């Protein structure tokens, strides 16, 4: 079997690791560093630069550099570099391609298989887009692994004989994840997972920046926020200051000519103490409490029954974090894993289990939880778009559950099953995963025919949904691959195929055919344009599937523009 590496594709930094010769090893980049900044840019000559080189040019030419791309994954937002806008998938692919290249160099073989970690709180769309980025980078993504589960794996490998309840607290650059696991006899079982997709080190930097901007405006009557270069310098200094305050009591921020007022350069000179900084960011740290409460209550394990608290992510280096955890949970965190490497190490361990490098019979079996509720849309007297949950969030997978439903109208002969993932009671506010129709319901008065709907979710990420007419036994089903986009033959309508069912689909058939033809002609030769067109095409198909003709028109125009450029 091929070598499979583990990749922690982070908001701020990216790491890769491999399990070989019986241990985990960090893979070093071309600068011999284990940590690579998650930055992508275009240099003066028009070449792509990634990692430290991109980070270094960020301060000089922020308009040609993208950072924190992970925050945009799963959204329609485009990121502008130079004169063009790129999708988060495309830029993540650039990062992964960079990792793939340095890993191949380091290992002396062509690396083409990987396990990639994502925040536990990532939804299905964010996971699919991470896989898409891997694929575009030439990687076969063997598994998407939750980051805190990965961290626990790296801890578990060293402490296989322990029996304990472990809380993994992961505060990185952009996301906060908390996961509760139970370990016994070499089995690592995830009990519950929660988090905040919009909380991380970046927000701590932002808190410092905001306070600096406010004081500067008070003193000089100028709002630095309107000055892009000043903002980049501020961000750089704010992060430096934050990191320094993890070890020092105070830090002087001195930026000589941050801006000019009436033609005169003006400096910024502020000293921030750790105490003042901690006061500034206390509200952010408080936001970690509610996800902690959620995992404790969802898993039914009290704070008093926690044996270990493991800290992961660069932001846990702030002394305030350990202090806050101890105050909130009555227990001090352990210093048991390397906060920067634990996630990629765990991904490498999962990779080794997949490649057979680690024999699963020797221990380290892992069960995971389902991070979002899964269910179907149904109709009741009050609501035609009600979300009926079949597998609730934080249920240990594999899991299988059945719910019974009744016909809604007289002589109803078919039922439409729409599968969603999310926490909103309104079905369509959640993520739609697929749908199918079960025909052949005997025509009878409303409520007199019943339908059983069964969801089965296995560890490999397959969700099987089956609907059965109870009186006749006739059934229909769908398999949704929650781990990658490959579809079963029986698959009805998942991913980008369901646009064809939309009433507005005819209006866009021509442009879709044109774009698909263009992609086929280009593939392999013009990676960048092909993936830009492909991304836009997928967005268009999604908009059509949602019957959103305004959105679809926008994407159609973008596509026409892109195709036009090509033909020029
Ligand atoms: N000594 C330190 N003190 C405080 N913060 C730090 C320190 N070192 C790193 N950080 C912060 O940690 C963050 C990066 O952490 P990490 O590399 O774990 O995140 P990531 O994996 O890229 O992000 P995520 O997991 O959220 O996607 C940055 O915001 C950085 O400023
Ligand atoms: Mg991380």
């Amino acid at each position: 079997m091929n070598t499979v590496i583990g990749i922690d594709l982070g908001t701020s930094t990216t790491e890769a690791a491999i399990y070989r010769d019986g241990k985990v090893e960090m893979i070093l980049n071309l600068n011999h560093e284990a940590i690579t900044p998650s930055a992508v840019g275009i240099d003066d000559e028009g070449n792509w630069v990634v990692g430290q080189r991109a980070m270094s040019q960020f301060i000089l030419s922020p308009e040609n550099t993208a950072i924190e791309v992970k925050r945009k994954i799963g959204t329609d937002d485009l990121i502008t570099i130079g004169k063009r806008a790129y999708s988060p998938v495309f830029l993540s692919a650039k990062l992964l391609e960079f990792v793939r290249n340095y890993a191949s160099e380091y290992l002396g073989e062509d690396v083409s298989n990987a396990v990639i970690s994502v925040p536990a709180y990532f939804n299905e769309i964010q996971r699919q887009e991470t896989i898409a980025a891997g694929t575009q980078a030439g990687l076969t993504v063997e598994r998407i692994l939750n980051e805190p589960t990965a961290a626990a794996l790296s801890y578990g490998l060293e402490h296989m004989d322990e029996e304990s309840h472990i809380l993994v607290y992961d505060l990185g650059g952009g996301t906060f994840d908390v996961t509760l696991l139970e370990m016994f006899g070499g089995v690592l079982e995830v009990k519950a997972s929660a988090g905040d997709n919009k909380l991380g080190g970046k927000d701590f930097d932002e808190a410092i920046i905001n306070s600096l901007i406010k004081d500067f405006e008070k003193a000089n009557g100028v709002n630095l926020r309107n000055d892009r270069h000043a903002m980049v310098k501020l961000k750089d200094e704010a992060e430096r200051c934050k990191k320094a305050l993890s070890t020092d009591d105070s830090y002087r921020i001195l930026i000589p000519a941050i801006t000019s007022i009436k033609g005169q350069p003006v400096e910024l000179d502020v000293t921030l103490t750790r105490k003042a900084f901690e006061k500034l960011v206390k509200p952010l740290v408080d936001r970690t409490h509610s996800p902690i409460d959620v995992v404790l209550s969802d898993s039914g394990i009290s704070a008093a029954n926690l044996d270990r608290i493991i800290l992961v992510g660069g932001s846990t280096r702030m002394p305030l974090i350990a202090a806050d955890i101890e105050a909130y949970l009555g227990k001090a965190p352990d210093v048991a894993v390397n906060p920067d490497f634990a996630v990629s190490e765990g991904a490498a361990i999962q990779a080794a289990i997949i490649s057979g490098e680690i024999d699963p019979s020797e221990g380290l079996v892992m069960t995971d939880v389902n991070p979002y509720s899964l269910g179907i849309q149904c109709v009741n007297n009050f609501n035609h778009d009600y979300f009926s949950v079949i597998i609730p969030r934080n249920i240990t997978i594999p899991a299988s559950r059945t719910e019974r439903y009744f016909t809604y109208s007289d002589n109803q002969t078919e039922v439409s099953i729409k599968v969603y993932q999310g926490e909103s009671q309104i079905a369509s506010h959640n993520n739609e995963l697929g749908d199918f129709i079960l025909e052949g319901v005997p025509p009878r008065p409303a409520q007199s025919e019943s339908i059983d709907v069964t969801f089965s979710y296995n560890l490999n990420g397959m969700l099987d949904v089956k609907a059965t007419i109870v009186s006749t036994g006739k059934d229909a089903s769908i398999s949704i691959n929650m781990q990658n986009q490959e579809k079963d033959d029986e698959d009805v309508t998942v991913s980008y195929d369901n646009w064809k069912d939309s009433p507005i689909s005819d209006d866009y058939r021509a442009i879709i055919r044109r774009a698909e033809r263009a992609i086929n002609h280009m593939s392999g030769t013009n990676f960048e344009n092909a993936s830009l067109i492909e991304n836009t095409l997928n967005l268009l198909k999604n908009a059509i599937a949602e019957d959103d003709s305004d959105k679809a028109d926008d994407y159609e125009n973008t596509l026409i523009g892109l195709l036009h450029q090509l033909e020029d």
Side-chain angles (χ1 to χ4, degrees):
M1 164 107 203
N2 284 334
T3 302
V4 189
I5 63 168
I7 302 176
D8 171 7
L9 178 64
T11 311
S12 318
T13 68
T14 295
E15 294 81 23
I18 183 157
Y19 184 92
R20 62 175 181 183
D21 305 328
K23 57 181 197 310
V24 193
E25 182 180 340
M26 295 302 297
I27 296 176
L28 305 183
N29 63 26
L30 302 177
N31 297 327
H32 311 288
E33 289 157 345
I35 299 177
T36 300
S38 304
V40 185
I42 297 176
D43 69 11
D44 295 342
E45 272 100 61
N47 301 314
W48 286 99
V49 284
V50 184
Q52 190 52 55
R53 281 185 57 204
M55 201 61 210
S56 306
Q57 76 161 31
F58 175 66
I59 300 169
L60 303 169
S61 58
E63 57 284 345
N64 292 324
T65 320
I67 59 166
E68 293 161 1
V69 171
K70 187 174 175 180
R71 285 208 160 186
K72 294 271 160 73
I73 206 107
T75 71
D76 291 350
D77 294 358
L78 296 176
I79 298 163
T80 304
I81 299 181
K83 292 190 199 70
R84 289 174 61 178
Y86 301 89
S87 72
V89 171
F90 177 81
L91 296 176
S92 301
K94 281 276 169 209
L95 275 165
L96 289 169
E97 193 184 27
F98 185 78
V99 174
R100 184 182 164 213
N101 289 338
Y102 80 68
S104 299
E105 180 80 19
Y106 181 85
L107 296 170
E109 62 178 296
D110 185 26
V111 172
S112 58
N113 301 64
V115 169
I116 303 178
S117 60
V118 298
Y121 223 57
F122 256 24
N123 65 33
E124 198 43 36
I125 294 168
Q126 292 167 306
R127 284 163 200 265
Q128 296 293 0
E129 290 205 356
T130 304
I131 292 170
T135 310
Q136 283 186 25
L139 288 167
T140 302
V141 181
E142 300 282 349
R143 182 80 55 94
I144 288 289
L145 179 66
N146 290 333
E147 285 164 11
T149 309
L153 264 180
S154 93
Y155 176 81
L157 190 69
E158 299 282 317
H159 303 80
M160 209 122 64
D161 310 326
E162 248 175 58
E163 294 197 359
S164 50
H165 291 126
I166 305 169
L167 185 98
V168 179
Y169 181 109
D170 181 354
L171 189 60
T175 49
F176 172 62
D177 260 343
V178 54
T179 293
L180 209 156
L181 301 103
E182 187 174 81
M183 198 158 82
F184 56 94
V187 175
L188 204 56
E189 185 172 320
V190 179
K191 291 290 186 188
S193 218
D196 186 333
N197 251 346
K198 299 254 148 30
L199 177 65
K202 178 189 145 91
D203 302 293
F204 294 79
D205 305 343
E206 198 59 39
I208 297 178
I209 295 169
N210 283 338
S211 120
L212 294 177
I213 288 179
K214 227 168 61 200
D215 292 348
F216 191 88
E217 186 163 20
K218 230 183 266 162
N220 301 291
V222 171
N223 186 350
L224 293 173
R225 206 165 273 289
N226 306 323
D227 181 339
R228 186 153 189 194
H229 278 92
M231 286 303 291
V232 171
K233 284 184 207 157
L234 271 178
K235 181 169 170 60
D236 186 51
E237 265 302 308
E239 187 177 6
R240 224 178 276 278
C241 166
K242 173 189 74 175
K243 287 183 179 170
L245 292 177
S246 289
T247 44
D248 305 342
D249 285 332
S250 73
Y251 182 85
R252 181 175 175 198
I253 299 176
L254 177 61
I255 308 175
I258 186 154
T259 190
S260 55
I261 300 174
K262 297 197 185 100
Q264 291 299 312
V266 184
E267 69 169 15
L268 183 141
D269 185 356
V270 181
T271 297
L272 192 64
T273 63
R274 186 192 287 176
K275 220 171 171 175
F277 168 68
E278 291 185 342
K279 194 164 159 227
L280 214 53
V281 300
K282 183 76 174 85
L284 293 171
V285 176
D286 285 345
R287 275 171 54 194
T288 61
H289 296 168
S290 106
I292 292 176
D293 292 344
V294 169
V295 295
L296 290 174
S297 82
D298 279 5
S299 64
I301 291 162
S302 69
N305 284 324
L306 291 176
D307 299 294
R308 289 186 187 286
I309 299 166
I310 296 180
L311 299 184
V312 183
S315 299
T316 59
R317 290 227 159 80
M318 296 187 296
L320 176 61
I321 297 299
D324 180 73
I325 292 173
E326 186 162 5
Y328 195 65
L329 293 172
K331 184 170 177 55
D334 276 84
V335 202
V337 298
N338 181 320
D340 294 321
F341 300 160
V343 172
S344 57
E345 287 175 351
I349 292 168
Q350 176 67 61
I353 294 173
I354 290 169
S355 70
E357 193 72 26
I358 291 180
D359 180 358
S361 67
E362 281 173 21
L364 265 189
V365 179
M366 198 184 59
T367 64
D368 215 327
V369 291
N370 160 41
Y372 283 92
S373 300
L374 296 164
I376 60 169
Q377 181 187 51
C378 68
V379 179
N380 63 26
N381 287 333
F382 313 104
N383 187 343
H384 281 234
D385 186 13
Y386 174 72
F387 183 46
S388 171
V389 172
I390 297 182
I391 298 185
R393 71 150 196 261
N394 278 336
I395 284 289
T396 301
I397 46 179
S400 184
R401 300 265 170 124
T402 302
E403 289 286 333
R404 182 161 288 186
Y405 300 89
F406 298 92
T407 46
Y408 180 73
S409 39
D410 290 339
N411 299 321
Q412 181 176 347
T413 56
E414 61 175 44
V415 283
S416 158
I417 307 282
K418 277 194 172 172
V419 183
Y420 288 90
Q421 173 193 48
E423 306 312 319
S424 172
Q425 288 194 9
I426 301 165
S428 61
H429 286 184
N430 296 311
N431 291 320
E432 190 182 340
L433 300 178
D435 63 349
F436 64 97
I437 288 174
L438 172 62
E439 292 170 330
V441 180
R444 296 182 54 205
Q447 310 284 333
S448 42
E449 279 293 326
S450 49
I451 317 291
D452 278 349
V453 179
T454 301
F455 274 39
S456 307
Y457 190 2
N458 72 22
L459 257 183
N460 286 329
M462 290 303 299
L463 174 68
D464 291 321
V465 178
K466 187 163 111 174
T468 312
I469 303 164
V470 177
S471 65
T472 66
K474 183 174 191 288
D475 61 32
S477 62
I478 180 177
S479 280
I480 300 166
N481 194 335
M482 310 282 279
Q483 289 278 352
N484 63 49
Q485 285 172 335
E486 282 160 24
K487 290 186 291 168
D488 273 19
D489 289 338
E490 288 168 19
D491 233 351
V492 191
T493 43
V494 204
S495 82
Y496 301 120
D497 254 6
N498 47 355
W499 67 274
K500 288 176 191 144
D501 301 329
S502 161
I504 62 169
S505 65
D506 276 344
D507 303 342
Y508 302 95
R509 266 178 219 281
I511 182 74
I512 287 176
R513 223 172 290 136
R514 237 182 98 195
E516 284 176 343
R517 251 202 321 267
I519 292 168
N520 285 338
H521 282 294
M522 285 191 295
S523 57
T525 54
N526 198 337
F527 166 78
E528 184 181 316
N529 280 323
S531 62
L532 244 165
I533 292 176
E534 191 168 356
N535 280 343
T536 316
L537 179 62
N538 287 338
L539 293 171
L540 169 66
K541 287 177 177 175
N542 273 348
I544 299 170
E546 287 162 9
D547 293 352
D548 188 341
S549 46
D550 287 344
K551 242 201 213 162
D553 286 344
D554 282 347
Y555 291 129
E556 179 176 34
N557 285 330
T558 313
L559 272 177
I560 292 171
L562 285 170
L563 294 170
H564 196 72
Q565 265 180 28
L566 270 186
E567 283 151 14
D568 277 347

